[in-house]
Amino acid sequence: MGNIPETGRTRRITGRLLVLQVLVLSLLGTLGGRLWYLQIRDGASYVQQASSNHIRTVVVPAVRGEILDANGVPLATNTTKLVVSVSRTSLIGQKDGGVAVLTRLGQVLGMTYEQMHDKVRLCDAKTPAPCWNGSPYQPIPVTQTATTQQAMQIMERQEDFPGVTATPAAVRTYPAPDKANAAQILGYLSPVTQDEITAATDANGKSSLSPSDQVGRAGLEYQYDKFLRGANGTSNLEVDNLGRVIGTAGGNAAVPGDSVVTSIDARVQAIAEQQLQQALITLRGTYDTVTHENFKADSGAVVVMDVHTGKIIAMASAPTYDPNIWSGGISAKDYAALNSTSSDYPMLNRAIQGQSAPGSTFKVVSTTGALNAGYNFDSTFPCTSSMTIGGRVFKNFEGENFGAINLSKALEVSCDTVFYNIAYQQWLSDGGTKPKNPKDWLYKTAHQFGLGAVTGIDLPGEVKGRVPDRQWHIDYYDAMKDTWCKQAKTESDPYLKAIATEDCADFATLRAGDEVNYAIGQGDTLVTPIQMARIYAALANGGTLFQPQLAKAIVSPGGKQVQTVQPVVQGHLPDSPSMINYIDQATANVITSGTAAWKFQGWPQDKIQLHAKTGTAEVVGKQTTSWFDTYTKDYAIVMTISQGGTGSGGSGPAVRNIYNALYGIQANNTIDPSKAIHPPAVGNLPGFHADGTVTTPVAYTVPALTQATPADHQAPLLAALDIAALAPERRTDGWQA
């Protein structure tokens, strides 16, 4: 025990204490060095960062550009309203999840808690509208129609409404000049989603979209969104440690969006909408002698096109709706109505998205195909009451028989059996069911006319229709073979079973009945009104196919023209000048002595030559579809009405009234140039000024029109008894694809 030190420490303990002292000194040295680095060497940088913690950057939304008609009249604009918004992030941070705040806010705004809750919940696949489909970090507007008193209550009692703001903001509105709401053309806005913000983020982490943005979801609002939206600005706010604003620290001004000048003339647009709606109403009170009930006339569309440029002067679709229901967030009731079968989907733009068989309006295509196949202007064909092909009887309208006639007369009186005959001859010459190098003139011609493809109009969602040629038959058979063959074995309905059995066996082969029905615009053929308007415009201008367009120019807020949208030539009809003249004469005769004559008595044909082709397309299980395709030297107008009967009877009076307005034709069929509407030429724009004002060169008063009456639509029931040659066509053949 004599070798133990008096302190009681062994050498091992002393060594450990020494190591510990070294470690402590090292840590103190490191800490001291780090403090010197932070406070002395890099102190200025951290002072700057600490200061920035008192700056809050707020996005200043850009004012959206306007959508104007050809004369500068706003179709879509902005108005300042008091907007009450709620921060969802703030609600989540509260003990009760924001229930108390939403309840109090609802009491101020005249809403229930449930209504408030639905407005701020996030949208997903299982959550019905109303809900918020924008960024969850963006203040959510719960009303855009707050009163000044409501806003004052909220702002003066901020302690009761944490996370709630009430501020003036620009709100999108659609003023509907002359009651031309143009809903399907204009589209609507809704908040940007977080996914869209992320997708618009560049390599530097900067997104072209901010959580406060509203973006176009349909129509021109979508098509020209990048021009209309402008560029957001920022405002740097100084705040204290409690988050209260104590000053400003600069920022960047927002850049307003550009305005889009369209070729739409609000006056003509209003008339087109009114006339389409009036036609539907009138038809619903008119008796259909085939189905023995009134026409349902459930939907329709009309297009008015400048034949020399392809610019759209008017485009209407029915049923329609008020686009202002989207402003401030759409209600659950309104959203359900827009997407219900009972409303027949009014958001659908049937001018570019409605597909149906074109009926006899397609015969201008078949006529060109026949002439290019080798028939001539004087070739005659028997216009018999019916024609039997492959054991099936294909009938002419009401058994009409005009004897031997040429193609021009066949167009004038719309003789089906002439086109059956041509189609059958072409099918046989191409090899029938065993074709060898078929020329397929009728199908080739349809593609040359631009059918089976989108026109490229500057609107989203256009459909391409269908040309049921040989390749389509092969492709569709491959897709449907198993379904048809199964149905052929299990179907109990004899008719459907027979169809399925036939299709299972040989749908991939182009059959005689396929081509025969196709030649008169029936069978599997599908077109859209915009496609037919482009075709008839091309007939009017000598054969040039223009791309349909709505925009004329993009104009900056200061009035400087940014970009003009010039007409685009997409191709030419496969018609020689003499062929165009031949079809011109035939379609002019439709007005004076053909299938539309009974609706155009007294028309000043010697002063304003009008050309037309009527169409009555059959649809299985429904009433016939009315088509009326027309043109003058200036305009092409195409109207179609689902379950609307004959072409001239269903759509003719409405189309005539639109022409009356364009040319100033009065009730006594005289022309008053002072009453005519003259849409501005493609190169003419409204007058824009540096202060943002726009000069409108014309007065906007819709002229009174002679409305179609129910008696007018009942006329075919009487005329058919006396003048069979002038009666509108109706197909009653017994063949369906």
Side-chain angles (χ1 to χ4, degrees), residues 285-433:
T286 304
Y287 188 71
D288 181 4
T289 58
V290 174
T291 61
H292 303 293
E293 60 181 340
N294 285 357
F295 288 108
K296 293 183 172 61
D298 49 37
S299 60
V302 60
V303 176
V304 182
M305 180 183 288
D306 182 331
V307 302
H308 301 293
T309 63
K311 297 292 185 181
I312 305 300
I313 298 169
M315 175 185 286
S317 180
T320 189
Y321 70 100
D322 181 0
N324 287 296
I325 63 175
W326 290 95
S327 298
I330 190 168
S331 69
K333 180 181 179 181
D334 287 337
Y335 187 80
L338 289 179
N339 292 278
S340 68
T341 55
S342 60
S343 68
D344 208 0
Y345 306 103
M347 292 177 65
L348 185 69
N349 185 348
R350 286 169 167 82
I352 67 170
Q353 296 172 312
Q355 303 181 105
S356 69
S360 293
T361 62
F362 185 78
K363 288 174 182 174
V364 296
V365 179
S366 297
T367 298
T368 296
L371 293 172
N372 284 330
Y375 301 98
N376 59 54
F377 298 153
D378 298 321
S379 297
T380 59
F381 311 87
C383 180
T384 56
S385 60
S386 65
M387 183 176 180
T388 302
I389 300 173
R392 290 191 174 123
V393 177
F394 294 82
K395 297 180 180 181
N396 205 8
F397 169 68
E398 292 187 349
E400 292 172 330
N401 188 332
F402 291 98
I405 60 175
N406 61 17
L407 280 168
S408 177
K409 189 65 175 180
L411 279 176
E412 177 186 332
V413 300
S414 203
C415 180
D416 290 337
T417 49
V418 166
F419 292 94
Y420 293 153
N421 193 345
I422 292 171
Y424 187 51
Q425 290 179 21
Q426 287 299 300
W427 181 79
L428 289 174
S429 67
D430 284 334
T433 58

Side-chain angles (χ1 to χ4, degrees), residues 224 226-227 258-259 261 551-556 560-566 685:
Y224 292 98
K226 68 177 181 180
F227 296 103
D258 297 330
S259 291
V261 180
K552 290 181 69 175
I554 313 295
V555 180
S556 68
K560 180 181 178 182
Q561 186 171 308
V562 176
Q563 177 183 341
T564 58
V565 183
Q566 296 297 322
L685 296 175

Side-chain angles (χ1 to χ4, degrees), residues 50-403:
S51 175
S52 69
N53 286 336
H54 294 282
I55 301 296
R56 297 291 183 269
T57 300
V58 177
V59 174
V60 179
V63 175
R64 194 171 180 86
E66 294 182 310
I67 300 176
L68 308 171
D69 91 331
N71 294 291
V73 175
L75 300 173
T77 187
N78 308 290
T79 185
T80 302
K81 294 185 178 181
L82 282 172
V83 178
V84 175
S85 301
V86 175
S87 169
R88 194 170 185 279
T89 304
S90 175
L91 293 181
I92 294 174
Q94 296 168 24
K95 291 183 179 180
D96 62 354
V99 173
V101 171
L102 291 179
T103 300
R104 286 193 293 269
L105 184 59
Q107 291 171 349
V108 172
L109 299 178
M111 302 183 194
T112 65
Y113 166 77
E114 288 73 18
Q115 290 174 314
M116 298 298 301
H117 172 268
D118 289 350
K119 284 178 175 288
V120 300
R121 64 183 176 178
L122 300 181
C123 294
D124 58 31
K126 298 180 180 179
T127 303
C131 57
W132 177 248
N133 69 343
S135 169
Y137 305 106
Q138 174 186 347
I140 302 172
V142 293
T143 182
Q144 294 183 341
T145 58
T147 65
T148 303
Q149 182 179 2
Q150 290 170 332
M152 291 296 292
Q153 289 185 58
I154 294 168
M155 299 312 295
E156 289 176 354
R157 297 163 48 199
Q158 276 291 285
E159 68 279 4
D160 292 333
F161 301 102
V164 180
T165 59
T167 57
V171 176
R172 200 60 160 178
T173 185
Y174 304 94
D178 292 322
K179 299 182 180 180
N181 74 350
Q184 294 85 1
I185 296 175
L186 297 172
Y188 62 95
L189 306 180
S190 71
V192 66
T193 66
Q194 188 60 46
D195 289 343
E196 289 170 327
I197 295 174
T198 302
T201 302
D202 59 22
N204 298 320
K206 185 177 181 180
S207 177
S208 60
L209 295 171
S210 71
S212 62
D213 281 339
Q214 296 267 326
V215 294
R217 296 297 183 193
L220 294 172
E221 293 278 29
Y222 173 89
Q223 191 74 23
Y224 292 98
D225 184 72
K226 68 177 181 180
F227 296 103
L228 293 165
R229 196 182 335 127
N232 292 332
T234 58
S235 177
N236 298 321
L237 304 179
E238 295 178 347
V239 299
D240 61 16
N241 59 345
L242 296 178
R244 294 173 297 194
V245 177
I246 58 176
T248 59
N252 299 312
V255 179
D258 297 330
S259 291
V260 176
V261 180
T262 72
S263 54
I264 293 293
D265 189 306
R267 301 165 298 176
V268 184
Q269 178 69 26
I271 293 166
E273 291 179 9
Q274 293 164 4
Q275 288 302 315
L276 177 59
Q277 186 61 34
Q278 181 62 47
L280 296 177
I281 294 171
T282 302
L283 283 166
R284 290 166 189 162
T286 304
Y287 188 71
D288 181 4
T289 58
V290 174
T291 61
H292 303 293
E293 60 181 340
N294 285 357
F295 288 108
K296 293 183 172 61
D298 49 37
S299 60
V302 60
V303 176
V304 182
M305 180 183 288
D306 182 331
V307 302
H308 301 293
T309 63
K311 297 292 185 181
I312 305 300
I313 298 169
M315 175 185 286
S317 180
T320 189
Y321 70 100
D322 181 0
N324 287 296
I325 63 175
W326 290 95
S327 298
I330 190 168
S331 69
K333 180 181 179 181
D334 287 337
Y335 187 80
L338 289 179
N339 292 278
S340 68
T341 55
S342 60
S343 68
D344 208 0
Y345 306 103
M347 292 177 65
L348 185 69
N349 185 348
R350 286 169 167 82
I352 67 170
Q353 296 172 312
Q355 303 181 105
S356 69
S360 293
T361 62
F362 185 78
K363 288 174 182 174
V364 296
V365 179
S366 297
T367 298
T368 296
L371 293 172
N372 284 330
Y375 301 98
N376 59 54
F377 298 153
D378 298 321
S379 297
T380 59
F381 311 87
C383 180
T384 56
S385 60
S386 65
M387 183 176 180
T388 302
I389 300 173
R392 290 191 174 123
V393 177
F394 294 82
K395 297 180 180 181
N396 205 8
F397 169 68
E398 292 187 349
E400 292 172 330
N401 188 332
F402 291 98

Side-chain angles (χ1 to χ4, degrees), residues 563-600:
Q563 177 183 341
T564 58
V565 183
Q566 296 297 322
V568 176
V569 175
Q570 295 178 312
H572 296 84
L573 299 181
D575 294 77
S576 65
S578 61
M579 291 165 62
I580 293 286
N581 291 335
Y582 186 77
I583 294 173
D584 273 351
Q585 187 58 56
T587 52
N589 290 342
V590 170
I591 293 295
T592 58
S593 57
T595 54
W598 64 287
K599 280 298 180 184
F600 283 82

Side-chain angles (χ1 to χ4, degrees), residues 516-540:
V516 165
N517 252 348
Y518 164 79
I520 62 164
Q522 287 286 169
D524 295 300
T525 312
L526 293 175
V527 301
T528 63
I530 193 64
Q531 289 176 325
M532 299 309 288
R534 181 173 64 160
I535 287 173
Y536 279 77
L539 290 172

